Amino acid sequence: MPDGNHPEGRPEPDALQSRSVLVERLGVEIDPELLELALTHRSFAYENGGLPHNERLEFLGDSILGQAVTVRLYLDNPELDEGALAKRRASVVSGVALAEVARTLGLGEFLRLGRGEELTGGREKVSILADTVEAIIGATYLSAGPDEATALVLRLITPLMSDPARFGAALDPKTALQELADERKAPAPVYVVEGTGPDHAKVFHATVTVDGLATGRGEGTSKKHAEMAAALDAWTQATTR
């Protein structure tokens, strides 16, 4: 059921057909209006007369995500203390990890972005992908209820949590990449970071190169986050070849 904060009118038939592919990947029925809202970035909304966008749903989804991950980690890891649990939760709900989830869903192709974001690679930006995952979780909660929303979260993050190597890489991708380079006797990773935009809304773009192994790219709201995203990208490339 819509929450009263969705674009006017229902999605066009072609859009509904396209979204059905995403719904199938998610494995849960989501109200079409809410799904369209979840996929609407503020850049698209502002360029189209101030339409509603996905930030309210993102706010809701963030809370549901945190609760579901916390409960699962607590129940599955009775040997871990509070500090270890907190670190694992932080890695699973991080922007880098959620962006990886988004890429497995092919989420970028479904986004509604403004022209500026389209021109600057918005469909691959960590922050946009991660925020959209949270918005979809929020839309699922409103459409199908708390149990289905929790089930969706667990489906999305279980592959990450059940793969110790990938879990460690998401927790500390720069260290994971360095260790992989050492293991394969490759040169140390080299990072290049550039910032764009005004000081109050700067976005950093990072590239990391490990000669003979991989070149990764990432972005974030800080140099650290951009480097982490690039490192995870490079690590993923190198370990999936």
Side-chain angles (χ1 to χ4, degrees):
M1 56 189 141
D3 71 346
N5 185 25
H6 55 266
E8 295 181 5
R10 302 189 68 83
E12 295 295 324
D14 287 348
L16 284 171
Q17 184 175 8
S18 172
R19 302 295 184 259
S20 69
V21 175
L22 177 57
V23 168
E24 183 177 350
R25 293 174 187 173
L26 292 167
V28 62
E29 288 296 325
I30 303 176
D31 179 272
E33 293 179 48
L34 284 171
L35 180 58
E36 197 77 351
L37 178 59
L39 296 169
T40 302
H41 187 255
R42 63 176 178 270
S43 62
F44 180 92
Y46 294 164
E47 289 181 13
N48 288 273
L51 294 173
H53 50 76
N54 65 7
E55 290 184 359
R56 278 171 50 84
L57 286 176
E58 174 197 337
F59 171 80
L60 176 61
D62 176 69
S63 177
I64 298 162
L65 171 69
Q67 181 182 41
V69 170
T70 298
V71 172
R72 173 52 61 91
L73 286 172
Y74 181 89
L75 294 176
D76 288 356
N77 300 278
E79 78 285 0
L80 296 181
D81 62 19
E82 179 187 5
L85 288 170
K87 284 185 177 181
R88 292 203 177 188
R89 179 178 59 192
S91 72
V92 173
V93 303
S94 71
V96 171
L98 292 180
E100 185 178 356
V101 168
R103 292 188 182 102
T104 65
L105 294 168
L107 193 57
E109 66 184 279
F110 300 100
L111 299 176
R112 303 173 84 198
L113 299 176
R115 290 184 294 275
E117 288 293 350
E118 286 280 12
L119 293 172
T120 57
R123 294 185 187 278
E124 284 298 319
K125 287 185 178 179
V126 169
S127 58
I128 292 177
L129 290 173
D131 290 349
T132 305
V133 169
E134 292 180 336
I136 286 174
I137 293 168
T140 302
Y141 180 93
L142 294 175
S143 297
D147 291 344
E148 287 293 339
T150 297
L152 173 63
V153 170
L154 297 180
R155 284 198 301 276
L156 295 179
I157 58 91
T158 293
L160 182 65
M161 296 174 67
S162 62
D163 183 339
R166 186 167 296 279
F167 190 93
L171 181 63
D172 189 352
K174 293 184 69 175
T175 297
L177 183 61
Q178 178 65 63
E179 291 176 347
L180 185 64
D182 293 342
E183 176 186 323
R184 300 192 182 180
K185 302 187 185 308
V190 176
Y191 293 85
V192 177
V193 183
E194 296 180 349
T196 60
D199 289 342
H200 68 279
K202 192 175 288 295
V203 176
F204 294 89
H205 306 270
T207 300
V208 59
T209 302
V210 184
D211 287 343
L213 194 61
T215 297
R217 295 176 175 81
E219 59 88 23
T221 54
S222 70
K223 290 181 179 179
K224 177 182 178 181
H225 288 158
E227 288 180 346
M228 289 175 62
L232 184 57
D233 183 38
W235 185 91
T236 300
Q237 291 180 44
T239 57
T240 55
R241 285 177 176 171

